Amino acid sequence: MERRGRRNRSSSSSRGSRSWSRGGTSSAEKVENVAVSDVPPIVGTCTLMCPEAERAQRERLRDLATFERLNGNPARSSPSIAVKKVKFHIISLHKLRGCSSQNTSPMHHLNLEQLAKTLTSLFNLYGANRHSNSTYENEAEFCSFYVLLHLGSHSQPLGESLSWWFSHVPSSIIKSKEMHFSRKILRYFRMGNYKRFLSTVAAEASYLQYCIIEPYVDEVRVLAVSCINSGGYKLHPYPLSHLSKLLIMKESDLESFLKSCGLQICTDEGHNLLPTKQTTFCHPKDGSQNYRFWGMEQFER
């Protein structure tokens, strides 16, 4: 009888705990609910299809599509017919990268996701309206953007392999200068050919192409410094004036960049030099300063 009573009390206690876990709210859940409720909602402020500032700029630059022109005037539009340019997300990559706030990381990820979705829709429209091997005015440009989005390791923005995607692209697009540039950049990046990568970007990249490439520029620069440091002759330090031209960055920025890589600089007869074979080399920590291209003005609007 005593053992049976103990068993009944034990089972009753366990039933009570199970009912609490099903019906009650744990402290962790309460904290999560409070945290979510404290986040203010995001409210959009632009009620137009195209922001006024962008519309004014595009009117000034005569950068209006035919359907956006008021009475056929290439320098006039209106809020009812001007639409946001499918290129907004690419420029946002560059703008978000330049923000110092740590809260931009989720926005950066969301922006990349939206860029991939808009490219998917665009390519579907190209395919649905294609006749034979015909192409559209800006199709090669947008295809080059898609190729450049594969610079990151294991990156497949549209969820398909790049080789499969290439097999469905018209030959005229493959042979275009935009695609020729993007394929070269992709090849140089994967081969680790830092000299060709940086010089080709500086000489041939458009503003929008550079916006996509920019996050990988410092990565290639780190590779270049690593190779020079490990492969250089210890008795012959590398002149910073030469390294500045190779990495396409100002010498003042270069000194800071080298220090972020754990390397020391020396001076000889007024010339700044990089001693090689330094064992203190390391990859810069995440969130380090972003160093702009020397002559970046050509990419600014």
Side-chain angles (χ1 to χ4, degrees), residues 209-221:
Q209 287 170 335
Y210 181 80
C211 287
I212 298 177
I213 297 170
E214 185 185 30
Y216 306 99
V217 169
D218 281 352
E219 183 178 339
V220 173
R221 285 169 169 164

Side-chain angles (χ1 to χ4, degrees), residues 26-37:
S26 67
S27 58
E29 289 174 334
K30 290 180 179 178
V31 171
E32 183 178 357
N33 291 336
V34 170
V36 172
S37 62

Side-chain angles (χ1 to χ4, degrees), residues 36-105:
V36 172
S37 62
D38 287 344
V39 177
I42 299 175
V43 180
T45 58
C46 180
T47 59
L48 303 174
M49 293 187 294
C50 180
E52 290 185 13
E54 179 184 313
R55 178 165 55 86
Q57 180 187 44
R58 291 172 60 199
E59 286 178 344
R60 186 172 64 254
L61 299 176
R62 294 176 176 264
D63 185 21
L64 297 170
T66 303
F67 59 82
E68 295 177 298
R69 298 173 183 176
L70 188 63
N71 299 323
N73 188 339
R76 290 293 304 277
S77 186
S78 72
S80 61
I81 58 176
V83 295
K84 184 70 185 173
K85 293 187 71 174
V86 171
K87 299 176 182 179
F88 164 79
H89 295 293
I90 296 177
I91 296 175
S92 295
L93 291 177
H94 172 66
K95 298 298 183 182
L96 286 172
R97 182 171 167 78
C99 294
S100 57
S101 173
Q102 296 179 351
N103 298 326
T104 58
S105 181

